[in-house]
Amino acid sequence: LAAVACGLAAAVLVRRAGFRPATYYLLAFAAPMAASLFSVARNLGFFPANWIANYGVQIGSGVEIVLLALGLADRINTLKREKAAAQAAAVQALRRSEHELELRVQARTEELARANALLREREGQLERMADHDFLTGLANRRAFMGHGTAAVDQSRRYQRALSLLLLDIDHFKRINDTHGHAAGDTALRAVAEALRSV
């Protein structure tokens, strides 16, 4: 009788705490507990000896085995569902992480492309600044050496004549001395513009 009372109380308390398998435990042990109560009642003289009192524990145990098997199957299915849900959550988290990584890589790639374009533009500007006079914007001695060497090589390779035209501003020193260097700079810019126009 004490074992029945303890088993019943434990099942009810654990079920109230939210443990689902306790329902199957309670149902499974209800049959042998009822049979045990009949046996206790028979032993105390409340019931006559009959086949229910004599074989009730065995019948209850059979019912118990069936119900415990159902409870075990439910527990296995619950674990499978939890595992599938955990795997789905992990896959979703992985996809989300991959997507975020792709976005970060794409943003970084675009940022690097912009930086490279800016760098190429600045390199082009530096190259142009190195090869052109700051005041007039015309090609300077460094550019002349590069183009001149290539022209001489091409002239030799194809056995063609090469001409070089020199241009000088007459009395340029007098412009600087008389009117100042600012006027000389203006004259140089005017000559450069005239050369560019033809």
Side-chain angles (χ1 to χ4, degrees), residues 122-134:
R122 290 200 176 150
E123 285 175 350
Q125 289 173 350
L126 289 173
E127 189 71 26
R128 176 162 172 72
M129 287 173 65
D131 286 345
H132 290 78
D133 181 68
F134 176 74

Side-chain angles (χ1 to χ4, degrees), residues 110-154:
E110 290 171 359
E111 182 182 328
L112 286 173
R114 284 193 300 272
N116 284 335
L118 182 61
L119 182 62
R120 282 192 299 274
E121 181 183 337
R122 290 200 176 150
E123 285 175 350
Q125 289 173 350
L126 289 173
E127 189 71 26
R128 176 162 172 72
M129 287 173 65
D131 286 345
H132 290 78
D133 181 68
F134 176 74
L135 179 65
T136 63
L138 296 176
N140 60 17
R141 183 182 300 174
R142 182 175 183 268
F144 170 74
M145 295 305 290
H147 292 301
T149 302
V152 169
D153 289 345
Q154 191 174 18

